[in-house]
Every structure is written in C-alpha cells, then in structure tokens.
Amino acid sequence: MQKIHIRITGLMVLALVISTLIVGAYATLIPCGTTMYDPATQTCCQGQVFDDTTKVVPCGDGCYDPSKQSCCRGQIYDGLMWGECKGVCFNREKQVCCEGYPVNGSRCLSTCHGVQYNPDTQSCCNGQVLDGRYWGTCGDQCYDKMTQSCCNNKTLDGPNWKECGNACYDSEKQFCSQGKVYDGKGVQFCGGSTFDPAVQSCCKGKIYDGFGYQPCGDTCYNPKKQSCCQEQVFEGTGFEPCGDTCYNPKTQSCCQKQVFEGTGFQKCGDTCYNPKTQTCCRGKVLDGKQDCKY
C-alpha cells in the first residue's frame, strides 16, 4: 500500500481559520427588513434595527420600551403615566382628564374649554372665563344677567327686558298685551281700553275706580263698601237674603220673608212685631208694652 502524505502549509491554516470565523459570525445574524441584525445585541421592530433590545413594541412609525415609555396616538413619551383624553395625550402624574379636556392638577374642577375656573366667582360663557357668577349666553355673545337682559338673541342694557311677540319691552316702564307693547308699568287691558290694576278694577269688560270689584248679576260691586245679594247690589256690607229681596242684619229684621226697619222683629200671627215697642196678643200686634188678657 502506498502512503499519501498531505503537506499543510501555514497559509492553508490561516485561510481555514478566517473562513470559520466568517461563517460563525454570519450564522448569528437574522434578516430585518432590508438588512441583518444580531438578536444578542440588537432588536428588530417594524423593519428597523435598534441597538437597544428593550425597544420591542411598535408605536406609530417607531418602537418603544414599555417598561419606561408610553405610546399615545402614535407618539412615544418618556414615562409610564401617559394616556389619552378626548384625542389629546396627557401625563396622568401631573394632569387629569376633566369633561374631555386635560387640565393641570390632581382632581377635576370646573373647566371652560380646558381652562380651570372658580364657579363661585367666575362664569364660563362661549368658551371664555369671565369674572362674575351671573354671565349667560345670548346668541353668540355673553351678557351680565345682573345688569343686562337677553331678548330675541339681543343683549340690552337693564335687567328687566322681556319678549313681546317679535319685539322687546322694559317691564319696568311698559307692558305687553296680545303681542304688542304699550307704555305704562303694570297696565292691563279691559275690553278695548287699558287700566292700572293697582288702583282700578276690570269687571265684565268695564273699568271701575278702586281695587277688587267683582261680578254681581249684570253689574259689578265693591265688596269693601257693597253687598251682592240675590244678584242685586246693596250699599253696605253684610246683606243677607230675605224673601225676594235682602236685608242688613245690623239695622233690619227679616220676618215672614219681609224686611222690617230695626232689629229683633218676631212673628205674630200672619205678621211681625217689635218686642221692644209692641205686644203680640193672640196673633194681633198691639202698640206699646201691654198685658195680654185672655
């Protein structure tokens, strides 16, 4: 048998070592997008190579470290307390989400389009913070309810303006009736005329001087000075029915459905008598105080 001797030169050994190192190095690389990366020291996220193995979670066009960072609406923020408040990112360590707006502080107060204000001394009107508690909205403007009025979407000086149809009127100086404005405070309509209810009355379409007139039959009367009895008006108060008419118990008597002048009349037969000045004897009335002999 012929022995074969292979002579390994130093050049050949060097080439072998280099080849082994190159193959070993490339064997640890992994594709990432259009390039390669070493997973031992790098991270591949969204086709990009990062020299930071902690950035492994996608956020928008980049990647972030969820142990130290937050992702909000595609943006990366340092810290773990970032959140979303109605489409806006805010830091929950320094802010709170109130009524859809992030505001500074640890608790929700009243906000006006994202701006905090004190409702005890301020108002929110049309997105503005105004000093004073009594601001209101009038159309596209703001008005002070203490010194102004809102009428038909218009701001007017003075707190007493009110609507009257398509117009406005000052209730301190004018009045509104049937959609029309008339001069005079507190004046009202009675029939086709106006009257002041403070000193006049409207009864059955007629105006009477004096307050409190009320209907009585076909007319009206003043209860302070007159009486309405059986749909008739009598001068004086306290009248009561007596037959077909009425009487005043203070000065008259009602006996047998008849009215007698004076009080205390009583029945005597078919008529009546006054026991103070007359005598009733066997159904007959005798003048004077007499003994009735049987």
Side-chain angles (χ1 to χ4, degrees), residues 4-33:
I4 301 175
H5 297 278
I6 300 176
R7 183 180 179 183
I8 301 176
T9 64
L11 183 60
M12 293 175 63
V13 171
L14 178 61
L16 180 61
V17 169
I18 293 174
S19 176
T20 302
L21 291 176
I22 292 174
V23 171
Y26 276 97
T28 61
L29 297 182
I30 300 175
C32 179

Side-chain angles (χ1 to χ4, degrees), residues 176-188:
C176 174
S177 179
Q178 299 178 349
K180 295 182 180 180
V181 177
Y182 297 86
D183 291 332
K185 180 182 177 180
V187 179
Q188 299 178 8

Side-chain angles (χ1 to χ4, degrees), residues 237-241 246-254 262-264:
T237 60
F239 275 72
E240 297 179 1
C246 297
Y247 77 108
N248 188 346
K250 297 177 182 177
T251 59
Q252 298 174 312
S253 298
C254 179
T263 60

Side-chain angles (χ1 to χ4, degrees), residues 190-249:
C190 181
S193 303
T194 59
F195 75 104
D196 186 350
V199 295
Q200 295 177 307
S201 300
C202 177
C203 179
K204 297 179 114 23
K206 295 182 180 180
I207 299 173
Y208 295 85
D209 290 332
F211 177 78
Y213 273 75
Q214 298 179 12
C216 181
D218 295 331
T219 185
C220 298
Y221 77 107
N222 186 346
K224 295 181 180 180
K225 301 178 181 180
Q226 300 171 309
S227 298
C228 178
C229 180
Q230 304 205 95
E231 297 189 350
Q232 302 177 62
V233 177
F234 294 87
E235 295 299 327
T237 60
F239 275 72
E240 297 179 1
C242 181
D244 295 333
T245 185
C246 297
Y247 77 108
N248 188 346

